[in-house]
Structures are given as C-alpha cells and as structure tokens.
C-alpha cells in the first residue's frame, strides 16, 4: 500500500514541482525487492490487495514485483534487478501525464482516438524525463522504452521485433500482458489465469513462449492472491501453493449458499475436503467479494 502511495507522490513531484524524485522511486524499488526476498509468498498474496488504486498504479506495482520475483529466481545476485525494476515502475507514469481535455480520465471506456492517444505514453514519459534532466541507466531505459514492444513487430512505440528485443524485455512483456488480461480494463472483464495463458500462447509470434512456460511454472493456474471457487459453494483467496502450484492454504470469505453471511477462516489443504472440489479461479466482482486490506 505504501509503495502504491509513494508512486503517486512521485508523479506529483514530476507534474507540480517539475522535479524527478529519484529517492522516492528507488525507495519503492528497494522496498518491493526487500519484501520479495523476505517472504515471497506472503508478498505475492499482499499484491492482491491492490484493487482500489488507479489501474496504472496497480499495474506498475504488480508488474515490478513479479519482474523482481522472476529475475531473482533466475539469478539472486543479478546486478540488473534494481534498474530493471525501476524501469518497470516508471513505465506507466506517462499515462497519467497524458490526461487532458481529449483524454479526461484513464478510467473511462476509451474510444479508438483516446486509445491511440494513450499509446503515446512511453514517448510522453521519455520527453518528461528529458525535461526534468534525468537520464535512466541503459537497463532502466530498455524496460521503459520497450516493455510494450512485441517479437512480431506489432508492439509500440517503435514496432521493434525479434532480435531487437532483449531477454529482459521479453520477460517484462509477458508479465505485463498477463497482468493486463487478468484485470478488467476498458469495460472488458478479467480473464482467468488459464484463459490469459492460452491467449498469450495463441499469440504465436508476439511473445516468447519459453518465458510464458517459465511464468506458468512460477505462478500456476491458481496464483497466490486469486479467488478460488469450490464445488461446495465456498469462495476463498489462495494464500499459498505447493511445488506443483496447487493451493495448500486458502482464506475462506464466502459461502454462496449463505450469501449474506460473512466468513473469515484460513484453512490448509488437509481440510479442503470440507469445501468440495476446486472448480477454478473466478472474478471477485462477479460475487461481490472485496479485498479487506490489512
């Protein structure tokens, strides 16, 4: 929650005070990395609390956190993690900078013209950073500029393709795309993890399938922080998963047979038989389930 708030404070410094608050942004990055390294699963669960913040904030924090998680899993001593995280955190800052009379809000269902305006967010951010006389490192710039590029050249802003995109960019692009698909946007409801993975897989030339497999192996079909539905009518937040990415601990919040009754009970897999068969991941909004923030 604090990182999400600080990210918005940093934006305020850039817009109102015409300063680049590097200390604030690096503090956000260092906090996220610390939390990943301290208790990875608890942190992944905490990320699901980011549901009421502006979409650009939620997206930036969640993508940055998962990027850290996956990069550290590859190499816990990588010297690129901090700057790559900073790039991911800053990448979406251009979107709120674009809000004006033509694009009055980022929460509206955008028309084609407004969507096209929004595609300019990377250029707007890079121009703003130049105006503020802040030069990102090569790793940070790589993420800022290329996170929306695709292997087949269908991305933006430069339509780069194939070998023009580094391993780091290929990783970021998959994380970003899955995050977008698994959250509602422009009036489109969120996709389940399985559907999101399938859509990325079917975009055969746009994304690196090896990275997609790596992502699925890390988070599975029932990611920590998602809402699971059981055949007994119970809805529960997934709190922990095993090495096969199957839930081992859940927080029960609703029994659909008694929809007006509040439940708050944490149970382990030994007691899952009480809930019935695990049917899949569902959209909390479809059942009026809200996250209770700690």
């Amino acid at each position: 929650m604090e990182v999400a708030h600080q990210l918005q404070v940093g934006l305020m410094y850039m817009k109102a005070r015409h300063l680049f608050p590097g200390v604030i942004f690096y503090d956000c990055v260092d906090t996220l990395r610390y939390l990943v390294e301290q208790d990875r699963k608890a942190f992944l669960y905490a990320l699901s609390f980011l549901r009421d913040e502006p979409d650009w904030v939620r997206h930036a924090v969640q993508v940055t956190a998962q990027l850290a998680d996956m990069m550290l899993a590859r190499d816990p001593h990588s010297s690129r993690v901090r700057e790559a995280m900073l790039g991911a955190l800053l990448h979406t800052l251009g979107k709120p900078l674009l809000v004006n009379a033509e694009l009055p809000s980022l929460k509206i269902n955008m028309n084609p013209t407004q969507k096209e305006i929004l595609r300019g967010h990377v250029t707007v951010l890079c121009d703003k950073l130049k105006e503020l006389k802040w030069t990102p490192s090569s790793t940070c710039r790589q993420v800022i500029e290329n996170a929306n590029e695709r292997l087949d050249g269908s991305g933006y802003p430069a339509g780069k393709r194939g070998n023009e995109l580094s391993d780091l960019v290929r990783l970021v692009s998959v994380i970003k795309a899955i995050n977008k698909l698994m959250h509602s946007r422009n009036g489109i409801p969120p996709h389940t993890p399985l559907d999101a993975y399938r859509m990325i897989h079917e975009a055969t030339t746009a994304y690196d399938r090896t990275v997609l497999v790596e992502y699925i192996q890390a988070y599975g079909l029932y990611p920590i922080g998602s809402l699971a539905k059981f055949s007994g009518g119970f809805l529960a937040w997934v709190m922990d998963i095993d090495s096969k990415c199957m839930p081992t601990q859940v927080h029960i919040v609703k029994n659909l047979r008694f929809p007006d009754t509040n439940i708050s009970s944490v149970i382990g897999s030994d007691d899952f038989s009480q809930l019935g068969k695990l049917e899949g991941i569902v959209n909390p909004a479809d059942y009026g389930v809200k996250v209770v923030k700690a």
Side-chain angles (χ1 to χ4, degrees), residues 13-20 97 123-136:
Y13 271 82
M14 292 173 65
K15 292 177 69 173
R17 302 190 182 184
H18 304 290
L19 296 170
F20 181 79
L97 290 174
T123 301
V124 166
L125 174 61
C126 290
D127 289 345
K128 187 66 174 179
L129 295 178
K130 288 179 183 177
E131 177 189 327
L132 300 180
K133 296 181 172 53
W134 185 77
T135 303

Side-chain angles (χ1 to χ4, degrees), residues 164-184:
E164 294 180 275
L165 304 179
S166 67
D167 289 344
L168 174 58
V169 169
R170 294 172 187 229
L171 174 61
V172 174
S173 68
V174 168
I175 294 172
K176 278 179 57 64
I178 292 174
N179 188 271
K180 286 180 180 179
L181 289 170
M182 287 173 54
H183 292 84
S184 60

Side-chain angles (χ1 to χ4, degrees), residues 4-5 7-8 50 53-62 92:
H5 173 69
L7 182 58
Q8 294 174 82
L50 294 172
E53 287 70 18
D55 281 345
W56 71 268
V57 174
R58 174 200 53 73
H59 181 69
V61 174
Q62 290 178 340
T92 56

Side-chain angles (χ1 to χ4, degrees), residues 6-7 9-10 13-14 19-31 82 86 89-90 134:
Q6 287 298 99
L7 182 58
V9 171
Y13 271 82
M14 292 173 65
L19 296 170
F20 181 79
V23 172
I24 290 177
F25 291 134
Y26 273 113
D27 186 57
C28 290
V29 165
D30 293 340
T31 298
R82 192 173 191 239
L86 181 63
L89 194 70
L90 297 178
W134 185 77

